[in-house]
Amino acid sequence: VIHVASCEMCGADETLYKTTIEGSDLKVCRKCSGFGKVISVVREPVKVKPKKVAALVSSVQTQDPTEHIQVIVEDYAERIKAAREKLGLKQEELAKAIAEKESLIHKLESGLFEPPITLARKLENRLRIHLVDQHEEKHEKASKSGSASLTIGDVLTMK
Ligand SMILES: [Zn+2]
């Protein structure tokens, strides 16, 4: 659909009527439409429908591009050991307190076994320490800055 902003006969900038004048369809103003037979009113071109804009904005807002990643702190072994000793607990006692094996506590404190988040949370609660870091990854930002810093050559070699 081609929207014409002004009358095809006199150039008037107003509401246009699709009018058959001498066998051809023209979009003309009210005055000029008197020369032929009006078929329909030509609507002014609507740039953006407000309803669509609102829907688009809300969908962007509800779509959270931030991903929360939980990561065990690097020095979990020292933290667990220090907290346990501060509380005056033996490895065995701590193991019992969180319903785990003593050998597991030993591995944790030796840094041989990185606790899964659920176990880390148990230790956090029992020892009143911080073991889980929450990282926020904004994918939108990351991808934007990432692509901006890439040259065409980089993109090609990545394939
Ligand atoms: Zn006109």
Side-chain angles (χ1 to χ4, degrees):
V1 181
I2 299 161
H3 293 284
V4 180
S6 52
C7 172
E8 286 176 20
M9 284 186 77
C10 72
D13 196 2
E14 57 181 88
T15 304
L16 302 176
Y17 298 81
K18 192 179 178 185
T19 310
T20 304
I21 300 169
E22 293 173 357
S24 55
D25 287 351
L26 297 173
K27 293 179 184 72
V28 297
C29 67
R30 177 185 272 280
K31 192 181 77 187
C32 296
S33 71
F35 294 108
K37 189 188 174 209
V38 175
I39 301 162
S40 62
V41 177
V42 177
R43 301 272 174 209
E44 290 288 326
V46 180
K47 281 173 190 171
V48 189
K49 286 178 183 173
K51 269 188 183 176
K52 273 195 174 178
V53 170
L56 198 72
V57 168
S58 69
S59 77
V60 166
Q61 283 172 341
T62 52
Q63 194 181 28
D64 189 4
T66 307
E67 192 180 318
H68 297 275
I69 299 170
Q70 292 178 320
V71 185
I72 304 297
V73 294
E74 271 182 46
D75 58 341
Y76 67 90
E78 292 96 76
R79 289 195 196 197
I80 292 167
K81 191 173 190 223
R84 178 180 59 77
E85 286 175 348
K86 200 175 162 189
L87 290 168
L89 292 169
K90 290 175 184 171
Q91 287 189 343
E92 188 190 348
E93 288 169 327
L94 175 60
K96 274 185 186 173
I98 61 165
E100 294 290 348
K101 287 178 184 170
E102 189 186 339
S103 60
L104 180 78
I105 305 300
H106 181 72
K107 278 187 194 171
L108 288 170
E109 291 187 3
S110 309
L112 296 169
F113 176 70
E114 189 183 286
I117 300 299
T118 49
L119 178 59
R121 291 294 187 202
K122 275 204 280 186
L123 289 161
E124 280 187 327
N125 290 332
R126 187 63 190 83
L127 299 170
R128 306 248 173 255
I129 52 172
H130 178 81
L131 290 176
V132 183
D133 272 341
Q134 190 136 297
H135 286 265
E136 284 189 4
E137 279 212 353
K138 303 209 172 181
H139 292 290
E140 207 177 40
K141 261 192 178 178
S143 65
K144 266 182 191 170
S145 63
S147 62
S149 64
L150 287 175
T151 64
I152 289 166
D154 288 332
V155 175
L156 289 175
T157 51
M158 275 168 73
K159 286 183 179 178

